[in-house]
Amino acid sequence: MDKDMNRRKMLKGSLAVAGAGFAGLPDWAIPALAQGEVPVPFTDMPEAFPTALGETRVLDIRKIDGLITPSDQFFTLQHYGQPAIDGGTFRLNVTGLVSRPKSFSVDELRRMGATEVVAAFECSGNSARFSHGLASNGRWTGVPLNQVLNEAEIKSEGREVVFFGADHQEESVEFRAETFKVDQQFGRSVTREDALAPEPLLAYALNGAPLTRGQGFPVRLVMPGWYGVANVKWLAQIHVQSQRYLGKFQARWYRSLRGETINGEVKWKETEVTRLQLKSAIARVTREGSRLKIFGFVLNDGTPLRSVEVRIDEGPWRPAALDSSNPRFSWKLFTFDWIGAAPGPHTIVSRATDALGNVQPEGAALENKKTFLEDNRQFPRTLTIS
């Protein structure tokens, strides 16, 4: 027990260093297993869960061990592989509709200051297929994007800010009856207003250490509250333009197709994948003697949360414990004490509600969505109590 208490003190101390507000987190927010506390296996998930699939890494959410995901466990995805970049010769170029085109080395960015933000995000394709393991939460250090853009002085006609990674690949681009082969960089864009907001960060460190190759070394974009695809890794160029950017991963791959009934007729609407949709997920259940504890997390766009609730079998929704001191853009950890669990099989599920009244939907509410991205439906878990 002394060893576990010391470990919790150490974790609290490291989180206090990470930023204001962490020192006051209660013990339940440091979700290391206490002595004598054992996990109750889910029956909807194999005990052996693959976390490394080539260059892709998936987080085993049953093993979340604190507010911050360790860098070597942080989920990792890429479309064009992981480019090897020489940090000594690296330059980040700011081009396009700017009055003062810029080119920055990593050291020059570091000398501009060190701003920290705790931010979580997930792949927009994250779902029960991966047991919601394409998500993580990190402490990012870097330079505010708006500081760099203000130095470059965006011209009045610059309305779109495009972020190009160093990763690239030959692609087939179809136009009516023709197909063109082009070498295409990974690219995503945001509006001028979103780019100049205070939150976006040009990050060069994760959890106090330089970015790893898998996490976008030497510099990446961090868009707090947005899906992972917007957080461009291996950032090589920021380009300001007047028209909308229509690259593959902006206009074609990352779209949601939903049917909306208007005046009794279904209209099909395509929308971009941008900000996180409200989602909660139960990560594990543990037993300590006769006590059962449900633990999970919430992901969202930074809107304050009103509540997180847990439902067992067909019973009522009951409030879970959610600490209001969680950082705005981090995932929010929650726990629920399960009292009087009867032996046998059970289904448990959580739902989150934000301050604007948005409620995490049931699966049936997404039946009018054809594409699998942005799947934020409630995530039932099954287990058996012996």
Side-chain angles (χ1 to χ4, degrees):
M1 181 65 71
D2 289 342
K3 181 178 179 182
D4 185 69
M5 290 298 294
N6 289 336
R7 181 181 181 282
R8 289 176 181 267
K9 289 180 181 178
M10 180 184 70
L11 280 167
K12 279 190 175 182
S14 65
L15 290 176
V17 173
F22 289 101
L25 287 178
D27 281 343
W28 66 261
I30 312 296
L33 295 182
Q35 185 175 348
E37 189 177 2
V38 296
V40 178
F42 291 120
T43 54
D44 57 17
M45 184 178 181
E47 183 176 352
F49 181 74
T51 56
L53 307 170
E55 292 183 324
T56 296
R57 171 168 289 279
V58 181
L59 178 68
D60 187 341
I61 64 173
R62 297 171 299 183
K63 299 179 181 179
I64 294 174
D65 199 23
L67 191 71
I68 303 298
T69 307
S71 299
D72 62 353
Q73 297 178 28
F74 210 99
F75 93 96
T76 304
L77 281 175
Q78 53 281 309
H79 290 285
Y80 294 149
Q82 298 180 1
I85 299 172
D86 183 348
T89 60
F90 166 83
R91 308 295 297 186
L92 173 61
N93 297 309
V94 184
T95 60
L97 294 175
V98 294
S99 298
R100 302 172 62 198
K102 292 287 184 176
S103 181
F104 298 94
S105 68
V106 179
D107 287 341
E108 287 169 335
L109 290 173
R110 288 178 178 273
R111 286 196 291 269
M112 294 176 71
T115 297
E116 290 190 345
V117 62
V118 176
F121 51 79
E122 65 172 345
C123 172
S124 59
N126 197 25
S127 68
R129 294 180 302 157
F130 303 98
S131 194
H132 292 287
L134 298 179
S136 296
N137 187 48
R139 174 168 55 92
W140 306 94
T141 307
V143 180
L145 172 62
N146 62 9
Q147 185 176 340
V148 169
L149 293 176
N150 287 335
E151 284 208 11
E153 297 179 6
I154 298 180
K155 294 181 179 180
S156 60
E157 61 267 34
R159 304 305 307 165
E160 188 93 347
V161 182
V162 188
F163 304 90
F164 290 107
D167 46 330
H168 62 97
Q169 180 176 297
E170 185 178 79
E171 289 281 6
S172 297
V173 179
E174 295 183 3
F175 176 72
R176 299 186 181 183
E178 296 183 89
T179 299
F180 303 96
K181 295 284 189 179
V182 297
D183 186 77
Q184 192 167 67
Q185 284 179 272
F186 182 90
R188 284 281 302 190
S189 72
V190 300
T191 65
R192 176 194 185 111
E193 290 74 21
D194 286 329
L196 292 176
E199 295 85 10
L201 195 71
L202 300 179
Y204 48 73
L206 171 62
N207 298 341
L211 294 175
T212 63
R213 179 178 174 183
Q215 287 302 329
F217 175 85
V219 177
R220 71 175 295 165
L221 175 66
V222 173
M223 293 288 296
W226 292 54
Y227 279 107
V229 66
N231 295 258
V232 178
K233 295 186 283 190
W234 311 290
L235 191 60
Q237 183 181 5
I238 301 173
H239 185 74
V240 182
Q241 59 190 46
S242 60
Q243 72 276 19
R244 292 286 285 135
Y245 170 68
L246 297 176
K248 172 179 178 178
F249 298 109
Q250 182 81 23
R252 298 189 292 279
W253 266 43
Y254 284 89
R255 311 286 282 183
S256 284
L257 176 63
R258 291 180 174 88
E260 180 178 342
T261 301
I262 301 174
N263 293 331
E265 184 179 356
V266 176
K267 303 289 187 182
W268 292 97
K269 298 174 60 176
E270 293 183 65
T271 56
E272 295 178 79
V273 170
T274 56
R275 290 177 172 81
L276 290 166
Q277 300 290 317
L278 178 65
K279 169 191 284 188
S280 70
I282 291 174
R284 66 170 174 262
V285 176
T286 57
R287 179 198 294 273
E288 186 177 3
S290 60
R291 177 193 179 199
L292 290 166
K293 182 170 68 177
I294 296 172
F295 165 78
F297 61 89
V298 177
L299 291 164
N300 77 329
D301 63 359
T303 301
L305 295 179
R306 178 182 298 171
S307 65
V308 181
E309 301 166 291
V310 171
R311 185 181 190 185
I312 299 169
D313 300 322
E314 297 301 317
W317 288 103
R318 293 174 176 162
L322 179 68
D323 192 337
S324 61
S325 67
N326 278 319
R328 177 184 176 189
F329 292 108
S330 78
W331 58 19
K332 283 77 175 176
L333 307 181
F334 67 86
T335 58
F336 177 84
D337 287 328
W338 185 359
I339 307 299
H346 295 277
T347 299
I348 58 177
V349 65
S350 64
R351 72 177 180 188
T353 302
D354 70 19
L356 299 178
N358 297 306
V359 181
Q360 182 181 0
E362 296 181 354
L366 300 184
E367 289 180 353
N368 66 337
K369 189 164 74 71
K370 297 293 187 182
T371 49
F372 66 87
L373 302 179
E374 301 181 292
D375 185 353
N376 67 326
R377 74 188 70 197
Q378 295 170 19
F379 179 41
R381 310 302 307 263
T382 59
L383 72 171
T384 299
I385 302 298
S386 58

